Amino acid sequence: MSTIAKLSGNDFDRMVLRGAFVDLEPMKVELICGELRFMNPAGPVHEGEIEFLTNWSYANTSRQEVSIRVQSSIDCGDHRPEPDIVWSRRMPTKRNRPTHADVLLLIEVSDSSTEQDLGEKARLYAEHNIPEYWVVDVQAEQVHVHRTPSQGKYQSIQSHDKSAMISPLCRPAATLSLAELFDLDS
């Protein structure tokens, strides 16, 4: 008989502070549903999309109002996911990670993790009332925009192909061209 130890968010935070995962580098780990989840290393397309979205994010936000975090954890109760891009309210200190209540927009770039990003992670973010969650589906060249969380599900989910222009609810003037996002030769 085997037993799996479920961790709380506080357990995970203490382990991070004590260096429990240092020897795992370059592997990254996140806490989802009380379980440590190893994240697949990013390939060049995934990294290129994150770089593009990071540059777009900085060009379309005010540093005084919005913090941009790249592949950094957020506090969702007993979960510590590490989305690819987070737009959060400006934090008063660098000593705390943003909580789900601070998040304005989450973006996951999905090359090999589409099923998890559209399933388990979408439910997690909806349960924590993240107002907007985008999944950049590299294989399908689509962005799945999740909005209006209620009762643990997003009430609005729209998929946009590379002919579309999309904008986050928190910054309607921040227009993202999906043709440019998915142009892998630029």
Side-chain angles (χ1 to χ4, degrees), residues 23-106:
D23 291 335
L24 296 177
E25 289 187 26
M27 290 290 287
K28 291 184 78 175
V29 65
E30 61 185 349
L31 180 69
I32 305 290
C33 299
E35 299 173 356
L36 298 177
R37 304 277 176 91
F38 293 96
M39 298 163 60
N40 197 32
V45 172
H46 188 268
E47 291 169 339
E49 296 293 44
I50 291 171
E51 180 181 10
F52 182 92
L53 289 164
T54 300
N55 292 334
W56 171 79
S57 295
Y58 280 119
N60 285 283
T61 56
S62 162
R63 303 283 39 87
Q64 289 73 37
E65 297 173 21
V66 177
S67 290
I68 305 298
R69 296 174 57 93
V70 180
Q71 296 184 318
S72 298
S73 65
I74 61 171
D75 182 338
C76 287
D78 277 335
H79 310 275
R80 298 295 183 271
E82 292 193 14
D84 290 314
I85 307 285
V86 175
W87 289 21
S88 72
R89 289 178 184 80
R90 191 83 185 141
M91 302 297 293
T93 176
K94 293 179 186 176
R95 296 183 186 271
N96 297 322
R97 67 174 53 92
T99 69
H100 54 90
D102 299 311
V103 174
L104 304 169
L105 171 67
L106 285 184

Side-chain angles (χ1 to χ4, degrees), residues 121-176:
K121 284 207 174 165
R123 285 188 298 278
L124 170 68
Y125 297 146
E127 287 170 2
H128 287 86
N129 292 311
I130 304 294
E132 189 162 14
Y133 170 51
W134 294 0
V135 177
V136 176
D137 184 342
V138 173
Q139 299 298 319
E141 293 189 330
Q142 292 183 326
V143 175
H144 308 282
V145 176
H146 299 72
R147 293 177 171 154
T148 320
S150 177
Q151 299 177 351
K153 295 189 332 190
Y154 282 101
Q155 303 305 306
S156 171
I157 303 171
Q158 296 181 328
S159 298
H160 302 276
D161 66 20
K162 55 194 254 183
S163 67
M165 305 279 280
I166 60 174
S167 298
L169 293 172
C170 64
R171 287 279 188 281
T175 305
L176 175 63

